[in-house]
């Protein structure tokens, strides 16, 4: 069971969750949550008992030295950290862990029990999947939401996938069954560039987090790292004619949708959201 004693009192917190494993191509989604933990100085407030959910021959505990000579065992688990983003009127609960080996329904129940104890108002689930997409374009984001209005608000492309699912899909369904407001974002990672890290994919997910929270997320060096990631792929394509041709085919298949010029209203709305998140003035069309 989880340890609930001493949980902090938070301000209408939103939970953001990601899990290592099947749901985490190129480690993109867990990297997003880890980034938020660092830039918002999040503090661990709870964790699940790993004994119930993990096969320790698959996810082994790690031994480290503390204070020079004290051996410390760190167990694989799912942890909950609380953060107060600067300028925000609500707190954030960051959930980062490993896809469980067993007892998924109990795992989801435990996660939601902690969220309930922390009075979480919404759960945002992050995932990353391998896909046939060109690295030269914006990486697509698909997803789903329990509130149909959120699908339009966040311009989500609903996934039509049918087949095996991971803990992100199962937890989203558990949120729906428990009447917990939930939204999930899945970034599409080029399958031919699946070695972690993938800063461009992580950056895409963090931009969606900004939209949900309606506040700025410090990006640190991610934009520069994303540009360097693209440059490495560009260099690889220059040296590999088959890869270059394949990327061109993907670009043609993607069409010109990413290059479609935005309308004046779309530009205005995007700019207003950008200013509002960064403390500027929204202008005469605020609230659209």
């Amino acid at each position: 069971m989880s340890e609930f004693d001493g949980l902090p009192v938070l301000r209408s917190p939103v939970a953001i969750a990601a899990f290592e494993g099947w749901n985490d191509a190129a480690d993109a989604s867990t990297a997003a949550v880890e980034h938020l933990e660092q830039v918002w100085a999040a503090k661990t407030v709870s964790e699940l008992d790993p004994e119930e959910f993990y096969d320790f021959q698959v996810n082994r505990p790690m031994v480290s030295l503390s204070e020079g000579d004290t051996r410390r065992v760190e167990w694989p688990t799912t942890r909950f950290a609380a953060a107060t983003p600067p300028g925000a009127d609500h707190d954030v609960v960051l959930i980062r862990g490993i896809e469980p080996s067993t007892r998924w329904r109990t795992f989801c129940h435990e996660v939601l029990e902690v969220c309930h104890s922390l009075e979480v108002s919404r759960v945002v689930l992050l995932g990353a999947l391998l896909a046939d997409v060109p690295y030269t374009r914006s990486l697509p984001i698909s997803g789903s939401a329990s509130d149909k209005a959120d699908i339009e608000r966040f311009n989500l492309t609903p996934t039509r996938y049918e087949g095996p699912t991971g803990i992100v899909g199962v937890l989203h369904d558990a949120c729906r069954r428990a009447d917990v407001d939930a939204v999930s974002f899945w970034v599409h990672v080029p399958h031919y560039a699946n070695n972690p890290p993938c800063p461009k994919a992580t950056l895409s997910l963090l931009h969606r987090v900004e939209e949900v929270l309606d506040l700025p997320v410090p990006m640190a060096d991610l934009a520069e790292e994303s540009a360097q990631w693209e440059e490495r792929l560009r260099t690889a394509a220059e040296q590999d004619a088959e890869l270059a041709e394949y990327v061109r085919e993907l670009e043609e298949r993607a069409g010109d949708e990413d290059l479609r010029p935005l309308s004046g209203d779309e530009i205005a709305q995007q700019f207003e959201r950008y200013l509002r998140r960064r403390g500027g003035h929204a202008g005469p069309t605020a609230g659209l």
Side-chain angles (χ1 to χ4, degrees), residues 118-198:
L118 291 169
E119 298 185 351
V120 165
S121 60
R122 163 176 280 179
V123 176
V124 180
L125 296 160
L126 304 181
L129 56 89
L130 298 179
D132 293 326
V133 293
Y135 75 90
T136 53
R137 302 283 182 88
S138 298
L139 298 182
I141 297 277
S142 59
S144 58
S146 54
D147 185 344
K148 292 183 178 179
D150 282 340
I151 294 178
E152 181 176 350
R153 175 189 171 193
F154 300 125
N155 193 27
L156 284 174
T157 302
T159 178
R160 300 187 63 83
Y161 170 78
E162 294 181 296
T165 190
I167 195 60
V168 169
V170 173
L171 182 54
H172 193 129
D173 183 69
C175 289
R176 180 185 61 82
R177 293 175 181 275
D179 292 324
V180 175
D181 186 18
V183 59
S184 62
F185 298 110
W186 287 83
V187 64
H188 296 214
V189 177
H191 70 86
Y192 48 89
N194 61 6
N195 290 331
C198 183

Side-chain angles (χ1 to χ4, degrees), residues 14-91:
V14 174
I16 303 171
F19 300 91
E20 297 175 19
W22 191 88
N23 319 265
D24 194 27
D27 298 349
S29 59
T30 50
V33 174
E34 184 176 12
H35 178 87
L36 295 175
E37 291 171 350
Q38 294 173 354
V39 299
W40 287 338
K43 303 296 184 183
T44 299
V45 297
S46 186
E47 61 182 39
L48 300 186
D49 182 353
E51 193 78 15
E52 299 193 32
F53 305 114
Y54 296 106
D55 180 347
F56 297 138
Q57 291 183 325
V58 176
N59 297 289
R60 290 185 178 275
M62 302 294 290
V63 175
S64 61
L65 292 178
S66 177
E67 299 179 357
D69 56 2
T70 302
R71 295 174 66 83
R72 180 173 178 269
V73 176
E74 183 171 346
W75 295 90
T77 188
T78 293
R79 293 184 172 85
F80 301 74
T84 302
D89 57 4
H90 51 75
D91 295 317

Side-chain angles (χ1 to χ4, degrees), residues 192-216:
Y192 48 89
N194 61 6
N195 290 331
C198 183
K200 186 170 184 175
T202 296
L203 198 60
S204 296
L205 288 174
L206 289 173
H207 285 316
R208 289 309 185 105
V209 170
E210 284 191 318
E211 292 179 18
V212 173
L213 300 181
D214 198 18
L215 58 83

Side-chain angles (χ1 to χ4, degrees), residues 262-269:
L262 298 177
S263 69
D265 286 343
E266 288 173 323
I267 293 173
Q269 290 178 28

